[in-house]
Amino acid sequence: MAKAKTKSPSKSKINFKELLLQKGEYIALGIGGLGCVILLLWGVTAGMDAKAPDETVTAFQNEAQRIRSRIAAPVLPPAEEEKLEQELRLKDWNKSTAAGYPQVPSEQFIDPRTALFDPVGRPDTKWEIPQVLTIREAQVDLVRAPMMGFDIIYEGDGRARIAVLDTKMVNKIDDQKLKETAKALSKRGTEGSKRYAQNRQNQAPPMPPGPGGPGATPGLGGEGGFGFGGGGYDQSGTRTETTISYIPIEDIDKAMAAGKPPAATVIPLRMIVVHCSFPLKEQEEALRRALRMSPGSDLSAFIHFDGFEVRRRVVLPNGQALRTKNTDKDGWEDYNYEDRYAEIIHARKFGDHFDVDPNDKTGESQYIPYFLRYHEAMAVPLPALIPELGQYPKIRLPKIQENIKALVAQGAEKQTPTSLAQRLQKQQGKRDIFMPRSGEDTGAAAAGYGGETGGPGISSRPSAGPTFGPPPVIGGGPGGMAPGTRPDPRNPGGAGPNDPNALPLVTLDHLLIRFVDCDVRPGYTYQYELRVRMENPVWGEQFQNMMANRTAAVDPKNKVLYGPWTRLGESLTVPYESFVYAVDPNEYNQKLSDTYPEKEAKPLVEMFKSKETEAVIQVLTWMEQVRTEAGGVREPVGAWVVANMPVGRGEYIGRKAVVQLPLWSSALTDYTLREVPGKIVPASRLEKNPTQPKGWLIDFTGDKSVLVDFEGGKVRTRNPKGATIDEETATELLIVQSDGTLTVRNSATDMKDPLRVTLSDGWTKWLTEVKKRVASGGSTEPGNGFGRPGDTPPKR
């Protein structure tokens, strides 16, 4: 029987998937634990072999000290020197230098701190449009004074008329001079009438608040008085002088040929004069960077300015900005100062103020012409003022003062009237109003009002001084060029050093920018913004290949470049121009009696003296003009006027008063004193021909303030024994102003007020000078005018 075969049991297979599913977490933990044991053993072994931290620090310090010692050692050890020679192959370099490779001095390497390129970047030789900088500092001043000029008025249709003397000239005018003078007057008068018509079409200038405004502004000294504003000068009003007549401006040549010269007059100016400094040296650096020029190359002759633009903001006395159709949301608008200057000043002026003052002991003014560029419309000329009634302030800008000191240190020559006048005659400006004019240029000299190089002669007093303004600065730095020429950027030196008109070569860091705002009113605050225009020195097809942007060289928008608008940090509030003070009535009465001591003057003294029921008030007002009884006509003044007037309780302070007021006479070409027309003091049975007050009837009725009450003056009291005692005490006034506010004045305080003293002394000095000239001319010297007559005779 056969044996059955039996199968042996097979080997079991390991199922890793099943194993990982069942035991995977234990396997992972075991592997991780084993790794930690290995890392622990390695760390212990490394720690046993590591050095102590103190030993490591000591080793580093010793190595640093060794390196420093080797650097400081004057002689390297032989082994070190041999090692360096092998590494740097110094012997080979020495052989190369000896074979003809000269060493370059270190001075010829550009200091990387001042290099105009990025040393790690790709050199860019293409030019860019240069950036125009802006002003650095500003000086804002208020000037109130009259200038001498031609009596030109503008009618409603804009036509200009000029006053001529009806009396014939003693000396005949040369025919050529006559033609030149007539042409100059006709041109300026016509241009002024155009600007006048344009300004009338635009919004009228802001007018000041009515009478009774706030008092003296801070900074004027003392308490000041309360004041009221005045209106603007009437550009179309005629004068009543019998020796003149008005003719169309285009007929001036015929009038002069007939021996009737243009009449001289005074034109009151209330204007803000703004001076700014512009960084010329920094502008040259900006141009140098844009043109990729190397440091040290002179580009001063490469900069040509095109004037500047002004924006203005007017703030009303209530603190609100003036709004017009042209102002933006903040009250700023473009201000065309050129139009107003041409209309009011340029068309009429006799000549311009000379910025150089030979009598200046400091000598600063004789360097100012270096900083002015009239030919590039960077400064408006200042008209010559009547010297006894006003002066221009000195330049106080720190940058300009520092530059003047630098000019002195360089040994730069001071400018003289003669050298400036000669240079000015050779220059051509961008716009006519920016070029200073002499009496010869304006026609004043030919008409008999001044010499060729001198200012207008004024009657018997000395001339107002030279009227040539300073010329443009042509040689601001090496390579200065004549105006109207454009230097080649590839040859920036130009032909400047050979220019016969150039000023001595000096270093100028700054220029002066100047403009005049002759459209300001009392009580208003004026703020300004300014930006400079510069001709693009790389505008034109010839520069296309050199520009990074080819189209920029021919883009019409880039022909003139504009700097950023910069707001002047300094604003100016025009202070009110009428102030009221309390006056001692006893001094007033005594002065009245001393002025009119005659027996025939007794009725006049009785009419004008202050009674016990009245206080005496002094009014100081800057008057642009006074109106005559003819109505609608005006007489220009342009000076501070002082009047004293008795006022009773409950009466208006403002009234008509007789004041000895110098008025201009075209026949005498000087200020003179006129008599009051008609009779103020009536005749009586005892005095059929009483003495009349000497002076001019001035209307102060615009001030509606009322004297409420007063006390002081002569005070009668009784002592303990019953005796009557008369005492003199200070007068105190209680005044309600036209705006409803109350103010108190005290005569003892007011007589010491600095503002009152300054204005009153100036008025007295001017009046004394006029009276001397009147007396020397054979006229009767008028007495002091005293304010009394109103619209009706005063009640007694």
Side-chain angles (χ1 to χ4, degrees):
M1 184 174 160
K3 291 182 180 180
K5 294 182 179 180
T6 59
K7 293 184 178 179
S8 58
S10 60
K11 294 181 180 179
S12 62
K13 297 182 179 179
I14 298 175
N15 191 337
F16 289 101
K17 180 176 182 181
E18 189 70 22
L19 179 64
L20 291 176
L21 289 175
Q22 296 178 0
K23 305 295 182 178
E25 56 222 39
Y26 298 105
I27 296 173
L29 289 174
I31 295 173
L34 180 61
C36 290
V37 172
I38 295 173
L39 290 175
L40 179 61
L41 293 175
W42 178 79
V44 172
T45 304
M48 294 176 65
D49 295 337
K51 296 181 180 180
D54 293 342
E55 295 180 5
T56 304
V57 172
T58 303
F60 277 120
Q61 291 178 345
N62 293 338
E63 182 65 17
Q65 182 62 36
R66 187 181 67 85
I67 294 174
R68 285 195 292 267
S69 300
R70 292 175 63 187
I71 294 175
V75 179
L76 291 175
E80 294 290 339
E81 186 175 0
E82 182 65 25
K83 184 179 179 180
L84 287 175
E85 288 183 355
Q86 291 177 0
E87 293 179 357
L88 301 178
R89 301 174 61 187
L90 295 179
K91 295 180 179 180
D92 294 341
W93 278 102
N94 292 334
K95 293 178 181 179
S96 300
T97 303
Y101 295 96
Q103 294 183 353
V104 179
S106 60
E107 294 81 4
Q108 296 187 17
F109 285 94
I110 299 177
D111 189 345
R113 294 171 296 178
T114 60
L116 302 181
F117 59 88
D118 184 355
V120 298
R122 180 179 62 84
D124 186 0
T125 60
K126 294 295 185 180
W127 295 353
E128 297 177 353
I129 299 297
Q131 176 189 9
V132 182
L133 303 182
T134 187
I135 60 173
R136 290 294 183 266
E137 54 191 4
Q139 173 183 331
V140 184
D141 296 290
L142 176 65
V143 176
R144 283 180 296 225
M147 73 173 186
M148 182 179 288
F150 297 101
D151 193 353
I152 298 176
I153 63 174
Y154 305 119
E155 297 181 334
D157 57 359
R159 296 185 61 187
R161 299 175 70 86
I162 186 171
V164 296
L165 287 173
D166 288 334
T167 56
K168 290 189 176 182
M169 298 179 63
V170 177
N171 299 323
K172 187 177 183 300
I173 302 178
D174 179 79
D175 291 340
Q176 183 62 29
K177 291 291 184 182
L178 187 151
K179 293 179 181 179
E180 294 175 358
T181 301
K183 182 179 179 181
L185 288 175
S186 179
K187 178 182 178 182
R188 291 197 296 147
T190 303
E191 178 65 18
S193 65
K194 291 180 180 178
R195 305 295 179 101
Y196 175 76
Q198 293 173 2
N199 291 326
R200 282 178 62 88
Q201 291 177 0
N202 299 328
Q203 179 178 344
M207 294 303 294
T217 56
L220 290 178
E223 296 180 4
F226 70 92
F228 54 91
Y233 180 65
D234 186 2
Q235 303 293 334
S236 59
T238 58
R239 293 190 289 135
T240 58
E241 193 172 349
T242 58
T243 58
I244 64 173
S245 59
Y246 290 87
I247 63 172
I249 191 73
E250 55 267 20
D251 294 339
I252 185 62
D253 55 343
K254 299 177 183 178
M256 295 183 68
K260 295 183 177 181
T265 188
V266 289
I267 301 165
L269 297 176
R270 182 198 293 111
M271 55 187 176
I272 292 178
V273 180
V274 180
H275 286 92
C276 305
S277 66
F278 180 84
L280 179 61
K281 186 175 182 179
E282 293 181 28
Q283 184 64 66
E284 294 178 11
E285 292 298 327
L287 181 60
R288 183 178 293 111
R289 289 192 296 270
L291 303 187
R292 305 296 191 265
M293 296 291 180
S294 60
S297 57
D298 176 61
L299 296 177
S300 59
F302 195 42
I303 298 176
H304 292 266
F305 295 100
D306 189 50
F308 55 93
E309 297 176 355
V310 175
R311 286 169 54 84
R312 187 178 75 167
R313 184 172 185 262
V314 182
V315 181
L316 303 175
N318 61 8
Q320 300 295 322
L322 179 69
R323 300 288 183 177
T324 69
K325 61 181 180 180
N326 299 320
T327 55
D328 61 17
K329 62 182 181 66
D330 296 322
W332 290 92
E333 66 177 334
D334 296 334
Y335 177 58
N336 194 337
Y337 67 95
E338 295 184 28
D339 277 359
R340 295 296 284 168
Y341 180 89
E343 171 197 339
I344 298 174
I345 297 176
H346 180 72
R348 297 181 170 99
K349 64 183 179 181
F350 266 12
D352 286 313
H353 167 72
F354 215 171
D355 287 277
V356 172
D357 182 6
N359 299 321
D360 182 9
K361 296 181 179 180
T362 64
E364 293 179 358
S365 67
Q366 294 171 281
Y367 289 98
I368 293 299
Y370 282 107
F371 303 92
L372 294 170
R373 290 191 178 179
Y374 288 111
H375 67 299
E376 293 178 342
M378 292 291 279
V380 171
L382 297 175
L385 303 176
I386 302 296
E388 60 193 37
L389 293 179
Q391 296 179 351
Y392 290 109
K394 293 184 178 181
I395 305 298
R396 305 182 303 274
L397 298 176
K399 297 294 184 183
I400 301 300
Q401 294 292 330
E402 292 173 6
N403 211 159
I404 289 177
K405 294 179 180 178
L407 293 180
V408 174
Q410 294 175 34
E413 296 181 0
K414 295 181 180 180
Q415 300 302 295
T416 64
T418 301
S419 63
L420 294 180
Q422 292 175 349
R423 189 177 296 109
L424 179 63
Q425 292 173 344
K426 302 176 182 179
Q427 306 306 325
Q428 297 295 326
K430 291 180 179 294
R431 290 181 287 280
D432 185 60
I433 65 170
F434 285 90
M435 295 305 295
R437 302 297 179 188
S438 66
E440 186 74 10
D441 298 326
T442 62
Y449 300 120
E452 181 176 355
T453 58
I458 304 178
S459 187
S460 59
R461 58 184 151 164
S463 167
T467 55
F468 279 108
V473 176
I474 306 301
M481 299 189 69
T485 62
R486 178 180 291 279
D488 186 348
R490 293 160 292 187
N491 181 24
N498 297 323
D499 180 12
N501 298 330
L503 287 173
L505 300 182
V506 296
T507 301
L508 284 186
D509 295 336
H510 294 82
L511 292 180
L512 264 178
I513 296 177
R514 177 169 66 201
F515 70 92
V516 171
D517 184 352
C518 49
D519 185 22
V520 297
R521 297 291 180 267
Y524 286 71
T525 300
Y526 296 87
Q527 301 171 335
Y528 302 96
E529 289 182 339
L530 184 147
R531 69 174 179 179
V532 176
R533 295 193 301 260
M534 187 177 76
E535 294 182 4
N536 187 351
V538 291
W539 190 85
E541 295 181 357
Q542 67 273 27
F543 300 116
Q544 281 185 293
N545 294 331
M546 305 174 188
M547 302 296 295
N549 182 1
R550 287 175 53 85
T551 60
V554 292
D555 188 347
K557 296 180 181 180
N558 291 333
K559 187 173 184 179
V560 176
L561 305 177
Y562 296 84
W565 283 106
T566 302
R567 186 167 301 175
L568 275 61
E570 185 177 356
S571 62
L572 189 145
T573 300
V574 180
Y576 290 96
E577 295 169 347
S578 187
F579 304 95
V580 174
Y581 299 96
V583 177
D584 185 353
N586 296 314
E587 293 184 8
Y588 168 83
N589 288 336
Q590 184 61 47
K591 189 174 183 180
L592 179 64
S593 300
D594 294 342
T595 302
Y596 300 100
E598 296 86 358
K599 178 180 178 181
E600 294 79 4
K602 185 176 180 180
L604 183 150
V605 173
E606 289 298 320
M607 173 179 285
F608 280 82
K609 76 177 183 179
S610 172
K611 305 298 188 291
E612 293 183 358
T613 58
E614 295 175 325
V616 179
I617 293 178
Q618 184 178 80
V619 179
L620 284 81
T621 303
W622 192 79
M623 285 192 166
E624 294 178 283
Q625 61 192 9
V626 293
R627 296 194 176 273
T628 63
E629 287 76 10
V633 293
R634 49 94 178 132
E635 294 291 339
V637 181
W640 287 96
V641 177
V642 179
N644 297 321
M645 55 189 71
V647 180
R649 294 180 176 89
E651 293 182 353
Y652 285 120
I653 289 177
R655 58 184 58 204
K656 290 183 179 180
V658 178
V659 182
Q660 50 175 184
L661 175 62
L663 296 178
W664 183 261
S665 170
S666 293
L668 300 176
T669 321
D670 198 359
Y671 283 99
T672 188
L673 293 163
R674 304 185 195 175
E675 304 297 331
V676 177
K679 293 184 178 182
I680 292 180
V681 181
S684 64
R685 183 175 60 85
L686 299 177
E687 297 292 341
K688 296 182 179 181
N689 190 22
T691 301
Q692 299 295 328
K694 306 280 175 70
W696 189 259
L697 195 61
I698 306 300
D699 188 358
F700 294 95
T701 57
D703 187 0
K704 299 302 181 182
S705 302
V706 176
L707 176 62
V708 178
D709 197 6
F710 73 91
E711 63 180 17
K714 278 189 176 182
V715 179
R716 178 166 294 180
T717 59
R718 294 182 179 275
N719 59 17
K721 296 181 180 181
T724 301
I725 301 176
D726 291 333
E727 296 180 331
E728 299 286 344
T729 63
T731 304
E732 287 192 352
L733 314 179
L734 177 62
I735 300 172
V736 57
Q737 304 178 60
S738 58
D739 61 357
T741 58
L742 291 173
T743 184
V744 176
R745 311 305 310 168
N746 181 282
S747 61
T749 302
D750 285 354
M751 290 301 97
K752 300 177 182 179
D753 182 83
L755 175 63
R756 192 207 72 85
V757 172
T758 299
L759 299 181
S760 181
D761 289 351
W763 159 263
T764 302
K765 182 179 179 180
W766 178 46
L767 199 60
T768 301
E769 291 296 326
V770 174
K771 290 164 71 174
K772 288 181 180 179
R773 294 199 295 270
V774 170
S776 63
S779 301
T780 303
E781 180 178 327
N784 292 324
F786 293 85
R788 157 59 67 189
D791 296 333
T792 58
K795 297 180 181 180
R796 294 298 178 192

